[in-house]
Amino acid sequence: MINEGDKAPDLVVTASDGSSFNLSAPGLPLVLYFYPKDDTSGCTREAQDFTQIAGDFASAGAKVVGVSRDPMKKHEKFIGKYDLKVPLASDEDGRISDAFGTWVEKSMYDANIWGWNARLSSSARTDGS
């Protein structure tokens, strides 16, 4: 798990808008927001909120990308259904969420399960720091 001030991991991410970037050197300021699942009430509201302010981030030269473990096909439906303007990245293999510490083992009803630790937004400079 990375901590505040650490360099982002050396992972290449492809977003729903077709862009690809390496988290360790994205080339522009990057805001990642992690969320549990497409098309749920809280996650939909969060995506709509980021859509509303996406222009502000773009004006500042930053890119915003939402990340969940949903497959890209589900992201595409989610984007179309709500006319989202923020690209989404699929983390089906968990590499991104593991690196940022958003997917953890936790106890629920006397059982250990894997799930989202919390919603998280993270930003990186052009050099990934």
Side-chain angles (χ1 to χ4, degrees):
M1 182 171 110
I2 66 171
N3 296 302
E4 186 174 340
D6 289 349
K7 189 169 177 93
D10 187 24
L11 296 171
V12 175
V13 175
T14 301
S16 58
D17 63 359
S19 64
S20 291
F21 49 89
N22 191 317
L23 293 177
S24 66
L28 71 165
L30 179 65
V31 176
L32 296 178
Y33 75 92
F34 292 85
Y35 65 99
K37 191 171 181 172
D38 289 348
D39 215 4
T40 58
S41 60
C43 299
T44 299
R45 182 74 248 162
E46 185 176 29
Q48 290 170 325
D49 289 347
F50 272 108
T51 289
Q52 286 182 335
I53 59 174
D56 296 336
F57 282 104
S59 293
K63 181 175 182 99
V64 177
V65 178
V67 180
S68 83
R69 293 180 70 130
D70 288 314
M72 194 59 77
K73 279 191 171 253
K74 191 166 182 199
H75 283 337
E76 291 166 357
K77 288 180 185 176
F78 184 47
I79 290 166
K81 183 175 181 179
Y82 295 101
D83 195 28
L84 302 177
K85 303 299 183 204
V86 175
L88 305 176
S90 178
D91 185 31
E92 286 186 89
D93 64 7
R95 294 177 310 140
I96 304 167
S97 51
D98 286 347
F100 283 85
T102 60
W103 189 255
V104 297
E105 187 174 21
K106 53 189 173 181
S107 180
M108 185 175 190
Y109 306 115
D110 295 324
N112 288 341
I113 61 167
W114 284 88
W116 288 95
N117 184 23
R119 291 181 193 276
L120 170 75
S121 295
S122 181
S123 61
R125 297 183 185 102
T126 57
D127 66 355
S129 62

